[in-house]
Amino acid sequence: MNVEELSGLPPGAIQHVRQEGIEELYPPQAEAVEAGATDGENLVAAVPTASGKTMIAALAMLSAIERGGKALYIVPLRALASEKKAEFDAYEDFGVTTGVATGNYESTSEWLATKDLIVATSEKVDSLVRNGADWLSDLTCVVSDEVHLIDDRNRGPTLEVTLAKLRQLNPGLQVVALSATVGNADEIADWLDAALVDSDWRPIDLRTGVHYGNALNFDDGSSREVPIEGSEKQEAALVRDILEEGGSSLVFVNSRRNAEAAARRLGGVSSPELTDEERTELTDLAAEIRDDSDTETSQDLADCVERGAAFHHAGLSSTQRSLVEDAFRDRLLKVISATPTLAAGVNTPARRVVVRDWRRFDPSAGGMAPLDVLEVHQMMGRAGRPGLDPYGEAVLLAKSHDESEELFDRYVWAEPEDVRSKLAAEPALRTHALATIASGFARTRSGLLEFLEATLYASQSTEAGRLESVTDDVLSYLERNDFIERSGGRSGADDDADGAFTSAADLAEQASREEELEATSLGHTVSRLYLDPMSAAEIVHGLEGAKERPTALGLYQLVSRTPDMYELYLRSGEDETFGELYYERERELLGDAPSEFEENRFEDWLAALKTGKLLEDWAEETDEETITERYKIGPGDLRGKVDTAEWLLGAAESLAREVDSEWTVAVREARARVEHGVGEELLELVSVGGVGRKRARRLYEAGIEEPADLRTADKGVVLAVLKGKKTAETILENAGREDPTMDGVEPADPGNGTILDSSGGRDTPTESGETSTDERADESQSSLGDF
DNA sequence: ATTCGAAGCTTATAGACAGCATGTC
DNA sequence: CTATAAGCTTCGAAT
């Protein structure tokens, strides 16, 4: 189908598509159009990555917008949200505006109402539904990208419930679900009342194979000799082999450490192939990476990058991840070794993909468990860069002939697994049952069950009554913890828990005499805050049990033990370290500690203490390098923890207000301290624009203790402390100083001179610059060892 | 004695959404 | 209870 044949798009859209160099639609795209994608029909497109899925979505969204509607594009990752946003921004040429809604990249709800197309994470959409964003009812088209993630134990139910809610909210809504190729795309299509486009077609040929010995054998029967030289590893031979032809590669491994070690080795392969120009650019890139964060991980990454290789995992900061991804896309980096982060993330295609490890540690399996076919296929799908590579190659590594056979059977020839709903898991249902009741989607037990009937779970469920019994467990949990109330009707729904209802009439009759379920004020708050009810219960309980003002550590440990915080892992020997810390600071901790004899629970408690201690270190201005080294984590982990703590403590503050806790202020202060990473005494300074933890500390040491001091302090001192003239001016201006200019001001040593502006400052205490730089340095030295 | 390397033993294990209101060094 | 690579430590052989 030629793009000229498309109808119903905004004027200019076709021209835009042609400017992108697209004349003909890919077969799956044409199929999607024939299935009614541009006519508002529901559609499930199960097609490989990089086969033009976004185009299918775009055609549906643009035609919906042209008909006067509004479109929503749901993505699983924040990084993908910004990637899509950048892509859709080009539609502005023909008058289609795009907005983004994610947790950290914020647009106000009113502002989103003015946009034609909105990109959001599934959680954000869920949250918007809970908070009743009124523009949601204007939606006429919803796209769900990577819809197979419904299978994900943690986040799948959110997507599933959100789609069900949007459809209920908006009966005429067009749903377009984009999925990787999965076993049961037809089931998903049935669930969504959608037409199905199920295709293996790819714009670039993908050859998959297994490397064993010196040979690379492909699925089409062809083979290629890839000899191993000397003591090099298989993946090194494969990377070298394709690099000699000018192709880049992506190596997937199963742990961070392996990713780093592999990148170090692969640098030896890429380095000799670099041109002088590339070397210079890579040196700059390495400098940017070191600049972003001063940690060992950054150093290691920068060292690899200088040699044309990189590793990629969640320990990297988001900046570093983007730098690596961009440089790889620009063909500056020749090889990346990555954990699964890269398989599901933003688009980073390579000529050759090597899936080195096909087993991963999984404690629930008691050891190494094989990866899902779907996951391996997702990795392999990264092979082949449209327009750059003649074909893509995906290679698995075998160490024996038997393994080679197994890999062919298990992954090369195998069909991906079915997508199975995980909604009946109690943690998921706990959250979504509350949200569904709180936002008025259901008012009774049977109403809730009726709503759940509209989910994929119900359409897949084989175990009759399972959803019902989990629902009852969850409802009684919610009631016990004061998140919902039952009123009217007969008391207790349990008496009919075992008799599954059969007809709609039964159901209606049951509903009519059934008690009402209503969220309490606390329940509403919890739902709106997007907290797991169990987290909320833990926090409320902890705050209510506090006899005296909670310390920062107490609050940090409290939020760290909620299910919403991904705890740090307790390493061997650390149970002792943190056991000691626990006895030392037991009094600060909120709530009841489990007994030491309940081993698992006590260990969780200590793991939360470890996480809490990390947050305390951060709030005591310990530098990034020290923390990452002390806890053996990457900069990305630290920022992630701080971010989550900030969110949870913000929520905790709302909860504290809700239950009239007397510790609201303590919570707020603890939150502000993690947010800025500073001690209590710097909280005021840090509120001035341009002043962060480092600058605040230096200003404080120079005797400038609060924003008011900035307005009266000697400019020379300020300049000496803040280094840059421009920085100093901006900060003084932000502090509200009348005359912030630094023209003609010379840096003045605060140590032996006056701190006050000689021309008449007011009440700045001269004696307060006493915490000397040396003292602080000593402090951080000694705290290094006390672990 | 010193150095180097193979062999044996120990150790540790992927990812990342969310409130609210604005901006680090 | 299922694995595996990396990174130590140890031990032995070659220098």
Side-chain angles (χ1 to χ4, degrees):
Chain A
M1 186 185 270
N2 192 283
V3 294
E4 294 292 346
E5 294 171 55
L6 291 168
S7 60
L9 299 180
I14 292 185
Q15 196 194 341
H16 171 79
V17 169
R18 295 189 57 184
Q19 271 168 7
E20 305 265 281
I22 300 168
E23 293 289 340
E24 279 295 314
L25 289 185
Y26 291 151
Q29 294 168 344
E31 231 182 288
V33 172
E34 277 153 27
T38 53
D39 305 319
E41 298 293 328
N42 290 349
L43 180 74
V44 170
V47 295
T49 359
S51 64
K53 269 194 291 204
T54 310
M55 175 74 149
I56 295 176
L59 292 174
M61 294 192 297
L62 291 175
S63 61
I65 291 165
E66 177 61 13
R67 288 192 296 272
K70 190 181 181 75
L72 174 65
Y73 192 102
I74 305 176
V75 292
L77 297 170
R78 295 198 285 227
L80 285 173
S82 14
E83 191 188 43
K84 293 299 171 192
K85 154 88 164 115
E87 217 173 316
F88 299 151
D89 269 343
Y91 302 161
E92 205 142 340
D93 292 350
F94 45 91
V96 172
T97 53
T98 306
V100 190
T102 66
N104 62 348
Y105 185 90
E106 188 81 1
S107 325
T108 62
S109 191
E110 304 85 72
W111 187 73
L112 289 173
T114 68
K115 301 289 171 180
D116 301 312
L117 200 173
I118 290 146
V119 184
T121 53
S122 34
E123 284 75 12
K124 189 64 188 187
V125 179
D126 187 16
S127 164
L128 288 164
V129 172
R130 295 183 187 196
N131 288 284
D134 43 8
W135 54 265
L136 285 173
S137 51
D138 301 337
L139 290 174
T140 57
C141 176
V142 168
V143 175
S144 177
D145 199 0
E146 315 283 355
V147 79
H148 55 270
L149 290 174
I150 279 186
D151 193 79
D152 185 279
R153 186 156 292 284
N154 300 313
R155 299 178 56 207
T158 303
L159 178 57
E160 187 179 340
V161 165
T162 300
L163 285 175
K165 281 186 178 168
L166 287 175
R167 295 184 76 203
Q168 186 176 327
L169 212 53
N170 242 336
L173 186 68
Q174 176 187 19
V175 178
V176 175
L178 308 176
S179 168
T181 37
V182 293
N184 59 339
D186 54 334
E187 250 181 76
I188 299 174
D190 279 351
W191 169 52
L192 293 171
D193 305 307
L196 172 64
V197 173
D198 195 352
S199 161
D200 283 337
W201 188 89
R202 286 177 49 107
I204 317 174
D205 202 23
L206 175 64
R207 300 157 74 190
T208 49
V210 176
H211 183 261
Y212 161 58
N214 290 331
L216 174 48
N217 297 306
F218 288 106
D219 53 346
D220 59 5
S222 68
S223 64
R224 176 185 174 115
E225 196 184 339
V226 182
I228 292 174
E229 290 177 6
S231 61
E232 77 182 348
K233 304 250 178 179
Q234 273 174 294
E235 67 266 21
L238 286 158
V239 168
R240 184 169 41 73
D241 177 64
I242 207 77
L243 191 55
E244 284 166 2
E245 292 180 10
S248 57
S249 17
L250 214 46
V251 180
F252 285 105
V253 298
N254 66 1
S255 74
R256 293 178 177 194
R257 203 169 59 165
N258 286 347
E260 295 183 15
R264 215 170 300 133
R265 281 195 310 265
L266 291 168
V269 176
S270 55
S271 181
E273 305 288 329
L274 298 173
T275 65
D276 286 347
E277 197 190 329
E278 285 174 331
R279 258 175 234 286
T280 320
E281 284 182 57
L282 286 167
T283 309
D284 292 347
L285 179 62
E288 265 187 273
I289 288 168
R290 292 197 181 94
D291 215 39
D292 175 66
S293 121
D294 188 16
T295 61
E296 209 183 321
T297 310
S298 307
Q299 286 297 340
D300 292 347
L301 179 61
D303 291 347
C304 290
V305 161
E306 278 172 346
R307 310 190 337 143
F311 54 86
H312 189 286
H313 58 60
L316 303 184
S317 72
S318 55
T319 313
Q320 292 173 338
R321 280 205 236 179
S322 314
L323 286 171
V324 168
E325 291 155 9
D326 292 344
F328 186 69
R329 226 174 287 124
D330 294 343
R331 310 173 79 174
L332 190 55
L333 286 172
K334 308 302 176 191
V335 53
I336 298 182
S337 59
T339 56
T341 12
L342 216 56
V346 297
N347 188 32
T348 47
R351 170 96 62 100
R352 182 175 275 174
V353 167
V354 178
V355 181
R356 193 192 75 177
D357 301 331
W358 57 280
R359 281 189 271 238
R360 182 163 51 221
F361 183 79
D362 176 4
S364 68
M368 302 303 274
L371 303 186
D372 283 349
V373 178
L374 181 58
E375 198 175 350
V376 171
H377 284 190
Q378 290 274 95
M379 295 174 186
M380 301 206 291
R382 294 273 133 151
R385 297 166 298 176
L388 286 173
D389 296 325
Y391 55 86
E393 286 181 352
V395 187
L396 290 148
L397 304 187
K399 274 167 226 62
S400 68
H401 185 261
D402 283 357
E403 192 184 3
S404 171
E405 303 255 291
E406 181 177 2
L407 289 176
F408 267 104
D409 288 345
R410 191 185 271 277
Y411 295 114
V412 179
W413 307 129
E415 291 293 317
E417 293 81 4
D418 284 359
V419 170
R420 306 289 310 174
S421 166
K422 302 292 188 287
L423 187 59
E426 204 169 305
L429 208 55
R430 191 166 61 214
T431 300
H432 292 295
L434 176 60
T436 303
I437 295 165
S439 49
F441 274 85
R443 306 190 173 284
T444 59
R445 171 180 175 277
S446 49
L448 179 59
L449 286 167
E450 195 182 355
F451 169 74
L452 293 172
E453 280 297 306
T455 59
L456 178 66
Y457 180 85
S459 71
Q460 288 187 325
S461 177
T462 49
E463 200 184 332
R466 162 116 172 100
L467 194 57
E468 221 181 323
S469 75
V470 181
T471 301
D472 286 329
D473 291 348
V474 161
L475 287 179
S476 75
Y477 173 86
L478 292 174
E479 192 180 16
R480 260 201 325 278
N481 284 281
D482 203 21
F483 295 126
I484 61 170
E485 283 169 344
R486 307 184 195 237
S487 61
R490 300 173 314 177
S491 61
D494 293 18
D495 46 356
D496 43 32
D498 51 350
F501 43 82
T502 47
S503 72
D506 275 2
L507 211 144
E509 195 205 321
Q510 197 174 344
S512 68
R513 61 184 153 90
E514 198 176 352
E515 61 202 353
E516 295 258 308
L517 296 176
E518 210 178 330
T520 60
S521 168
L522 178 63
H524 275 285
T525 303
V526 171
S527 171
R528 273 188 283 107
L529 289 170
Y530 213 80
L531 282 178
D532 183 328
M534 196 177 261
S535 298
E538 187 88 41
I539 290 170
V540 168
H541 185 236
L543 287 175
E544 285 182 334
K547 297 282 167 286
E548 42 194 83
R549 191 184 201 269
T551 61
L553 181 75
L555 292 165
Y556 296 154
Q557 197 264 359
L558 177 63
V559 296
S560 296
R561 59 183 209 245
T562 66
D564 278 309
M565 174 75 88
Y566 195 88
E567 279 173 7
L568 288 173
Y569 172 90
L570 220 48
R571 289 160 191 277
S572 69
E574 282 187 343
D575 44 348
E576 240 169 82
T577 323
F578 287 98
E580 273 169 41
L581 186 69
Y582 168 57
Y583 293 118
E584 232 169 82
R585 305 187 64 176
E586 194 178 350
R587 284 188 35 238
E588 293 182 45
L589 304 186
L590 306 169
D592 320 309
S595 144
E596 248 181 279
F597 305 104
E598 291 179 87
E599 259 182 62
N600 289 335
R601 290 193 52 216
F602 189 68
E603 216 175 282
D604 283 349
W605 181 266
L606 289 185
L609 177 59
K610 178 178 172 183
T611 315
K613 177 71 176 125
L614 173 145
L615 293 167
E616 190 195 46
D617 286 356
W618 175 250
E620 282 175 349
E621 295 165 54
T622 310
D623 59 70
E624 193 184 24
E625 189 186 3
T626 312
I627 294 183
T628 50
E629 191 193 328
R630 186 178 291 171
Y631 296 90
K632 301 205 169 48
I633 57 174
D637 301 300
L638 172 57
R639 292 175 201 188
K641 289 283 170 300
V642 168
D643 206 52
T644 310
E646 219 180 299
W647 165 58
L648 282 171
L649 287 161
E653 190 190 331
S654 301
L655 288 175
R657 257 200 306 270
E658 179 71 43
V659 301
D660 279 323
S661 165
E662 52 187 314
W663 312 124
T664 312
V665 176
V667 177
R668 178 163 52 229
E669 190 181 291
R671 192 203 63 84
R673 287 188 56 199
V674 262
E675 178 185 350
H676 299 288
V678 294
E680 197 184 332
E681 69 276 21
L682 297 187
L683 281 176
E684 290 214 46
L685 270 182
V686 104
S687 69
V688 176
V691 180
R693 66 199 307 238
K694 302 254 171 75
R695 286 174 183 167
R697 178 51 66 191
R698 288 206 303 269
L699 286 167
Y700 193 88
E701 277 165 12
I704 301 165
E705 297 186 352
E706 50 186 284
D709 298 342
L710 275 168
R711 293 196 281 276
T712 54
D714 183 275
K715 283 184 180 175
V717 175
V718 174
L719 187 59
V721 167
L722 296 175
K723 315 279 183 340
K725 180 176 164 224
K726 189 86 197 76
T727 320
E729 284 176 351
T730 313
I731 288 173
L732 285 190
E733 203 184 326
N734 291 340
R737 188 155 179 155
E738 282 179 18
D739 171 31
T741 177
M742 280 285 165
D743 289 340
V745 176
E746 287 301 314
D749 183 0
N752 56 2
T754 30
I755 293 158
L756 290 176
D757 189 331
S758 49
S759 65
R762 296 194 312 264
D763 51 4
T764 313
T766 324
E767 316 79 41
S768 51
E770 292 204 328
T771 326
S772 76
T773 340
D774 309 65
E775 261 175 49
R776 299 272 329 160
D778 284 351
E779 232 172 80
S780 72
Q781 277 295 329
S782 64
S783 63
L784 246 170
D786 65 16
F787 215 75

